[in-house]
Amino acid sequence: MADSATLKTPLHALHVELGARMGPFAGYDMPIQYASGILAEHLHARSHAGLFDVSHMGQAELVGPDHAAVAAALERLCPADFLALAPGRQRYSQLLNAEGGIIDDLMVSRPPGADGKLNLVVNAARKAVDFEVLEANLPSSVRLNRLDRLALVALQGPAAVHVLQRLAPASGVSAMSFMAARPVQLGRFAAFVSRSGYTGEDGFEIALPADEVDAFARRLLADPEVAPIGLGARDSLRLEAGLCLYGHELDETIDPIEADLAWSIQKRRRVEGGFPGAARIQAALASGPARRRVGIRPDGRAPARDGAEIFDAAGAPVGVVTSGGFGPSVGQPIAMGYVASPAAALGTALSLMVRGRSLAAKVSPLPFHPHAYHRG
Amino acid sequence: MTETRYTKDHEYARVEGDVAVVGISDHAQQQLGDVVFVELPAVGVKLAKGDGAAVVESVKAASDVFAPVSGEVIEVNGAVDAQPGLINEDAMGRGWLLKIKLADAGELASLMSEADYAAFLKTLA
């Protein structure tokens, strides 16, 4: 990765102009924070609207003869029900290996008006692996087109819908519900928009041509309610929202049931299987996984970070913290981690080993900060 | 007369008689970002120069603060314990962390002066 950290998104010059502190992420030189700092950015996204550059993520489309063929091709690799995905809707899923471990998590949307196309958004650090797996496993009638000329931004927060409505009053974005996805004309910008995000707030993810995204971002930033948000606050926002980050909560040894993502496997797929690792996943659905992703709140004010060991009340090791820090909206330290199932019940007393000392903590409900999705 | 000396790890020691007031430099607080938690040593602990003296945690990460000089911890700043953001507001003043009674005033000579530290920061830019 050392010499690949020079990749730039189409908004790189804008980040630098805005005074961002840049740092490497998934091979890209990305904004970690802007001048106001992570705390202020985090709180701004919760109270107004934050603009995130997520153009480093992988965008692609699957194209085939009809929806059934494309959905079936993706269902061979992911456990979600894509056959039942309605036009104009989006679904969260995971790309699985033969053991049911998570190769990546991804968003899949079915554009309205096109029969035989699904749009995919995957993680930056995993896109090369994902596209290789997809291409190696697609039937000859379905092909993968990488959409490298598309940029992606997210506008997140309670004011996001008002900002887009002001920019494009005729766009109808306010009528979209959570996980709706469709082409939208935003003023002079032709975009593909989904009402979704990675903060727990209402908001939108907006794909548009890379050569137009700088002008579009500047239009959004001209709205007094919009501030640019870096990867630092993106991480604290998603942690408060209880959302998984690949490489932390998710990896190739973890299955979706352990990750507490059973909600993303619809009933038909649970019954029928037909995805990689179905036997392991169906067994975990029936009798419970051996370990489970949980929310954790340290009792005091010291944060526990990724990698901190977790012990039960008797002092036996039961797991490890996968993400941890301070929750700016919660006002306290928060963490997620994996613990053996007997220690996963809400309220279970745990201790976390931080700098050689044991911190008292409890298993706590997720999300830490309530979701504010627009369910319409 | 007080004099402030600095380490390459961006701790400062403001010398007041035979006591060093220790904290992190303004440059260090800027680099760390919003401080949300501070772990201070117990009063009475004897530190050798370079020992871990405190931990300052920002939203992003935890950073060790090393003792710039050897000696006994005679006081810690309870105000930053209650209000870690003081370190961002006033790292060199109200955001101090601990006071060390100097065991060896000669150690101060190995630390950077104000001017040397300013020059050192320029090499990092």
Side-chain angles (χ1 to χ4, degrees), chain A residues 21 32-33 36-40 232 236 301-305 324-326 328 354-355 357, chain B residues 30-34 36-39 55 57-62 64 80-84:
Chain A
R21 184 177 301 168
I32 307 302
Q33 63 170 85
S36 62
I38 294 173
L39 269 183
S236 57
R301 290 183 24 250
R305 306 278 176 180
F326 181 79
V354 175
R355 294 187 288 273
R357 255 182 285 167
Chain B
Q30 279 178 31
Q31 290 300 309
L32 275 176
D34 306 296
V36 295
F37 177 75
V38 181
E39 189 175 293
V55 177
E57 296 215 20
S58 71
V59 181
K60 269 184 297 190
D64 288 309
V80 294
D81 189 42
Q83 204 183 332

Side-chain angles (χ1 to χ4, degrees), chain A residues 212-349:
Chain A
E212 294 178 26
V213 70
D214 182 88
F216 179 68
R218 286 174 199 272
R219 278 295 304 274
L220 291 178
L221 290 168
D223 188 300
E225 293 206 88
V226 178
I229 313 292
L231 290 182
R234 182 171 159 83
D235 190 48
S236 57
L237 287 159
R238 70 91 197 167
L239 176 56
E240 282 187 341
L243 300 173
C244 296
L245 173 61
Y246 199 88
H248 289 252
E249 284 70 42
L250 308 179
D251 66 34
E252 292 223 31
T253 71
I254 294 167
D255 71 48
I257 311 309
E258 294 171 320
D260 200 18
L261 300 173
W263 58 268
S264 69
I265 307 177
Q266 287 75 24
K267 189 178 170 193
R268 177 177 64 82
R269 305 302 317 277
R270 295 185 191 200
V271 174
E272 293 177 4
F275 48 84
R280 165 177 167 183
I281 288 169
Q282 287 170 319
L285 279 166
S287 46
R291 59 178 173 172
R292 211 182 273 273
R293 176 173 66 96
V294 294
I296 299 165
R297 281 189 191 241
D299 286 354
R301 290 183 24 250
R305 306 278 176 180
D306 179 16
E309 279 189 280
I310 307 173
F311 298 84
D312 67 11
V318 290
V320 64
V321 170
T322 49
S323 291
F326 181 79
S329 300
V330 174
Q332 286 177 342
I334 52 175
M336 290 195 283
Y338 281 86
V339 295
S341 291
L346 288 180
T348 303

